[in-house]
Amino acid sequence: MPAHFTRRSLMRGITAATAVATLATGLAACGGESDAATTTDSAASGTVTIGQASNGAAKETTLKVAEVKSISAELPEAIRKSGKLVIGSGSLPSGSAPLGFVGSDQKTFTGAEPDLARLVAAVLGLKPETKRFTWENLFVGIDSGKVDVAFSNVTDTEERKKKYEFASYRQDNLGFETLKSSNWKFDGNYENLAGKTVAVGAGTNQERILLEWKKKLASEGKKLTVKYFQDNNSTYLALSSGKIDSYLSPNPAVAYHVTQTANTPNPTANAGTYSGAGASLQGLIAATAKKDSGLAKPLADAINYLIDNGQYAKWLATWNLSTEAVAKSAVNPPGLPLTDS
């Protein structure tokens, strides 16, 4: 991915990786529509099974979820008549456990994000159809109408509201992953990053935050080195070899990777977290649809139905994300603020 973006082009929310293999069809894609690998879910009527083929990231659980006609009636007519919800995931090439990745059977697209999307589709009485894209092409898919909604760890921002509408469903926290042998901890103050080398995904919200801290430190005569790698495996190799001090990525991915490395020669640890929206606002992850599509309201109502009836809590618990729960899904809640740059 390119390392240089304008502030207005920072459209990404996930970059952490999983060690599971990716389908060759996904790796072969290299541009345009060919970047999407499509799968169609086929859950039994009235039930949705989550945590499938999760490679130890979740316990497979079957939940009862039926259509709620008062909510599905809110859908735009074209989507209601189509009978399906086309769900976008910016998870090519490698995906990100526990959020969205190719499972242990090497064919099932699994993860917390596609599972919630399938639960929401069930409430809306729609058949879920999942399309996987590179991150950049995910938003092209939404813009062109090829995707109805993205469930892909997208951070709610005021900048993005110029083109998209949101239904929040999870707290957005970032985490600093280090080697367990490191004694460095992030204490919430950017100044203790002075002299460190930190990897981050290009075009992400965490990159935006890290570059702001780098600028502040530079104004104080201090140095923060920011590194970019082609893929997450390369990032983790750099971490284990000591070429970087830390990797800043979404907190769920850090939590997952820490468990996966626990019994390896180079175990890692979570050295601290930070709200994806900054110090003054709790960041939120949201289902993302084209602005004025009319989808945000029924999506939020479907999520709130899942919250009120317990399936939401079971979904979070299945993927070990209970600490990131929201009390209620909101339509276009306050997001990362606009800046002058």
Side-chain angles (χ1 to χ4, degrees):
M1 298 178 191
H4 301 290
F5 291 79
T6 64
R7 181 65 56 87
R8 295 181 184 276
S9 71
L10 294 176
M11 299 300 293
R12 192 171 183 185
I14 72 171
T15 55
T18 179
V20 299
T22 302
L23 288 173
T25 52
L27 289 171
C30 58
E33 291 183 45
S34 65
D35 275 1
T38 304
T39 58
T40 301
D41 299 285
S42 56
S45 178
T47 65
V48 175
T49 300
I50 61 176
Q52 299 178 71
S54 68
N55 200 35
K59 181 179 179 181
E60 188 171 305
T61 305
T62 298
L63 302 177
K64 292 183 178 180
V65 189
E67 178 183 359
V68 180
K69 293 190 180 297
S70 61
I71 300 177
S72 60
E74 302 172 358
L75 287 165
E77 184 178 5
I79 292 179
R80 188 169 62 250
K81 286 185 175 180
S82 75
K84 66 180 181 180
L85 186 67
V86 182
I87 301 154
S89 172
S91 56
L92 288 179
S94 60
S96 172
L99 299 178
F101 58 104
V102 176
S104 55
D105 61 3
Q106 302 300 300
K107 63 181 181 179
T108 300
F109 182 56
T110 189
E113 306 284 69
D115 276 356
L116 178 61
R118 292 167 57 235
L119 290 168
V120 168
V123 175
L124 296 174
L126 300 173
K127 184 177 182 179
E129 181 181 291
T130 303
K131 291 187 175 183
R132 296 182 66 205
F133 297 84
T134 61
W135 183 261
E136 294 79 6
N137 282 327
L138 169 63
F139 291 93
V140 174
I142 299 173
D143 296 343
S144 66
K146 291 182 173 65
V147 170
D148 297 322
V149 58
F151 279 82
S152 198
N153 205 48
V154 181
T155 301
D156 167 31
T157 76
E158 296 304 311
E159 179 70 30
R160 291 174 182 167
K161 285 178 184 173
K162 294 177 180 180
K163 295 182 65 177
Y164 307 102
E165 60 187 38
F166 298 100
S168 58
Y169 60 84
R170 189 166 50 78
Q171 291 185 13
D172 174 24
N173 293 319
L174 308 174
F176 285 90
E177 187 169 2
T178 63
L179 289 177
K180 190 174 182 179
S181 58
S182 170
N183 59 9
W184 179 80
K185 300 292 182 184
F186 179 71
D187 61 6
N189 187 340
Y190 72 91
E191 291 187 338
N192 81 329
L193 288 165
K196 300 299 180 183
T197 298
V198 181
V200 72
T204 62
N205 177 50
Q206 53 265 28
E207 182 200 34
R208 179 190 65 83
I209 292 172
L210 196 63
L211 291 180
E212 288 178 353
W213 286 337
K214 179 180 179 179
K215 184 178 179 180
K216 287 182 178 180
L217 286 168
S219 70
E220 300 170 6
K222 301 171 184 176
K223 184 177 181 179
L224 165 62
T225 302
V226 178
K227 291 284 188 179
Y228 301 92
F229 295 90
Q230 186 64 32
D231 55 49
N232 293 283
N233 287 335
S234 299
T235 304
Y236 290 130
L237 284 172
L239 182 62
S240 63
S241 65
K243 292 181 179 179
I244 60 174
D245 297 302
S246 183
Y247 177 30
L248 179 60
S249 66
N251 192 58
V254 174
Y256 171 79
H257 193 249
V258 167
T259 66
Q260 298 301 295
T261 64
N263 297 316
T264 69
N266 292 299
T268 62
N270 192 320
T273 61
Y274 193 79
S275 168
S280 61
L281 182 69
Q282 174 57 58
L284 293 170
I285 299 300
T288 306
K290 194 172 183 178
K291 187 175 182 179
D292 299 324
S293 66
L295 271 174
K297 176 65 162 54
L299 288 168
D301 287 347
I303 294 166
N304 283 323
Y305 175 86
L306 296 168
I307 291 173
D308 293 341
N309 288 275
Q311 297 98 332
Y312 173 81
K314 290 177 181 177
W315 162 70
L316 285 171
T318 294
W319 289 100
N320 300 310
L321 296 174
S322 298
T323 58
E324 300 195 344
V326 295
K328 183 178 181 180
S329 175
V331 174
N332 293 326
L336 267 70
L338 291 167
T339 65
D340 294 330
S341 56

Coordinates of all heavy atoms in Angstrom, one line a residue, residues 7 190 193 207-226 339-341:
R7 N -5.0 14.1 4.2 CA -5.8 13.9 5.3 C -7.2 13.4 4.9 O -7.8 12.5 5.5 CB -6.0 15.1 6.2 CG -6.8 15.0 7.4 CD -6.2 14.0 8.4 NE -4.8 14.4 8.7 CZ -4.6 15.3 9.7 NH1 -5.5 15.8 10.4 NH2 -3.3 15.6 10.0
Y190 N 1.7 11.0 24.4 CA 2.5 10.9 23.2 C 4.0 11.0 23.5 O 4.8 10.5 22.7 CB 2.1 11.8 22.1 CG 2.4 13.3 22.4 CD1 3.6 13.8 21.9 CD2 1.6 14.1 23.1 CE1 4.0 15.1 22.1 CE2 2.0 15.4 23.3 CZ 3.2 15.9 22.8 OH 3.5 17.2 23.1
L193 N 6.6 8.2 23.5 CA 7.0 7.6 22.2 C 8.3 8.1 21.6 O 8.8 7.7 20.6 CB 5.9 7.8 21.1 CG 4.6 7.0 21.4 CD1 3.5 7.7 20.5 CD2 4.8 5.6 21.0
E207 N -2.7 5.6 11.7 CA -1.6 6.3 11.1 C -1.8 7.8 11.3 O -0.8 8.6 11.6 CB -1.5 6.0 9.6 CG -0.3 6.8 8.9 CD -0.4 6.9 7.4 OE1 -1.6 7.0 6.9 OE2 0.6 6.9 6.7
R208 N -3.0 8.3 11.1 CA -3.3 9.7 11.3 C -2.9 10.2 12.7 O -2.2 11.2 12.9 CB -4.8 10.0 11.1 CG -5.2 11.4 11.3 CD -6.7 11.6 11.3 NE -7.3 10.9 12.4 CZ -7.4 11.4 13.6 NH1 -7.0 12.6 13.9 NH2 -8.0 10.7 14.6
I209 N -3.2 9.4 13.7 CA -2.9 9.8 15.1 C -1.4 9.7 15.3 O -0.8 10.6 15.9 CB -3.6 8.8 16.1 CG1 -5.1 9.1 16.0 CG2 -3.1 9.0 17.5 CD1 -6.0 8.1 16.8
L210 N -0.8 8.7 14.8 CA 0.7 8.5 15.0 C 1.4 9.6 14.3 O 2.4 10.2 14.9 CB 1.1 7.2 14.5 CG 2.5 6.7 15.0 CD1 2.5 6.5 16.5 CD2 2.8 5.4 14.2
L211 N 1.0 10.0 13.2 CA 1.7 11.1 12.4 C 1.5 12.5 13.1 O 2.4 13.3 13.1 CB 1.3 11.2 11.0 CG 1.7 10.0 10.1 CD1 1.2 10.2 8.7 CD2 3.2 9.8 10.1
E212 N 0.4 12.7 13.8 CA 0.2 13.9 14.6 C 1.1 13.9 15.7 O 1.7 15.0 16.1 CB -1.3 14.0 15.0 CG -2.3 14.3 13.9 CD -3.7 14.3 14.4 OE1 -3.9 14.0 15.6 OE2 -4.6 14.7 13.6
W213 N 1.3 12.8 16.4 CA 2.2 12.7 17.5 C 3.7 12.9 17.1 O 4.5 13.6 17.7 CB 2.1 11.3 18.2 CG 0.9 11.2 19.0 CD1 0.1 12.2 19.6 CD2 0.2 10.0 19.4 NE1 -0.9 11.7 20.3 CE2 -0.9 10.3 20.2 CE3 0.5 8.6 19.2 CZ2 -1.7 9.3 20.8 CZ3 -0.3 7.7 19.7 CH2 -1.4 8.0 20.5
K214 N 4.0 12.4 15.9 CA 5.3 12.5 15.3 C 5.6 14.0 15.1 O 6.7 14.5 15.4 CB 5.5 11.8 14.0 CG 6.8 11.9 13.4 CD 6.9 11.1 12.1 CE 8.3 11.3 11.4 NZ 8.4 10.5 10.2
K215 N 4.6 14.7 14.6 CA 4.8 16.2 14.3 C 5.0 16.9 15.6 O 5.8 17.8 15.7 CB 3.6 16.7 13.6 CG 3.6 18.1 13.2 CD 2.4 18.5 12.4 CE 2.4 20.0 11.9 NZ 1.2 20.4 11.2
K216 N 4.2 16.6 16.7 CA 4.4 17.3 17.9 C 5.7 17.0 18.5 O 6.4 17.9 19.1 CB 3.3 16.8 18.9 CG 1.9 17.3 18.6 CD 0.9 16.8 19.7 CE -0.5 17.3 19.4 NZ -1.5 16.9 20.4
L217 N 6.2 15.8 18.5 CA 7.5 15.5 19.0 C 8.6 16.2 18.3 O 9.6 16.7 18.9 CB 7.7 13.9 19.0 CG 7.0 13.1 20.0 CD1 7.0 11.6 19.7 CD2 7.5 13.4 21.4
A218 N 8.5 16.3 17.0 CA 9.5 17.0 16.1 C 9.5 18.4 16.5 O 10.6 19.0 16.6 CB 9.1 16.9 14.7
S219 N 8.4 19.0 16.9 CA 8.4 20.4 17.3 C 9.1 20.6 18.6 O 9.5 21.7 19.0 CB 6.9 21.0 17.4 OG 6.2 20.4 18.5
E220 N 9.2 19.5 19.4 CA 9.9 19.6 20.7 C 11.4 19.1 20.6 O 12.0 18.9 21.6 CB 9.2 18.7 21.7 CG 7.7 19.1 22.0 CD 6.9 18.1 22.8 OE1 7.5 17.1 23.2 OE2 5.7 18.3 22.9
G221 N 11.8 18.8 19.3 CA 13.1 18.4 19.1 C 13.3 16.9 19.4 O 14.5 16.4 19.6
K222 N 12.3 16.1 19.4 CA 12.3 14.7 19.7 C 11.9 13.9 18.4 O 11.2 14.4 17.6 CB 11.4 14.3 20.9 CG 11.8 15.1 22.1 CD 10.7 14.9 23.2 CE 11.0 15.7 24.4 NZ 9.9 15.6 25.5
K223 N 12.3 12.7 18.4 CA 12.1 11.9 17.2 C 11.3 10.7 17.4 O 11.5 9.9 18.4 CB 13.5 11.4 16.6 CG 13.3 10.7 15.2 CD 14.7 10.3 14.7 CE 14.6 9.6 13.3 NZ 15.9 9.3 12.8
L224 N 10.3 10.5 16.6 CA 9.5 9.2 16.5 C 9.6 8.7 15.1 O 9.3 9.4 14.1 CB 8.0 9.5 16.8 CG 7.0 8.4 16.5 CD1 7.3 7.1 17.2 CD2 5.6 8.9 16.8
T225 N 10.1 7.5 14.9 CA 10.2 6.9 13.6 C 9.0 6.1 13.3 O 8.6 5.2 14.1 CB 11.5 6.0 13.5 OG1 12.6 6.9 13.8 CG2 11.6 5.5 12.1
V226 N 8.4 6.3 12.1 CA 7.2 5.6 11.7 C 7.6 4.7 10.6 O 8.1 5.1 9.6 CB 6.0 6.5 11.3 CG1 4.8 5.7 10.8 CG2 5.6 7.4 12.5
T339 N -10.4 18.5 10.7 CA -9.2 19.3 11.1 C -9.0 20.3 9.9 O -9.6 20.2 8.9 CB -7.9 18.5 11.3 OG1 -7.6 17.9 10.0 CG2 -8.2 17.4 12.3
D340 N -8.1 21.2 10.2 CA -7.8 22.2 9.1 C -6.9 21.7 8.1 O -6.7 22.4 7.1 CB -7.3 23.5 9.8 CG -8.3 24.2 10.7 OD1 -9.5 24.1 10.4 OD2 -7.9 24.8 11.6
S341 N -6.2 20.6 8.4 CA -5.2 20.1 7.5 C -5.7 19.1 6.5 O -6.8 18.7 6.6 CB -4.0 19.5 8.3 OG -4.5 18.4 9.1

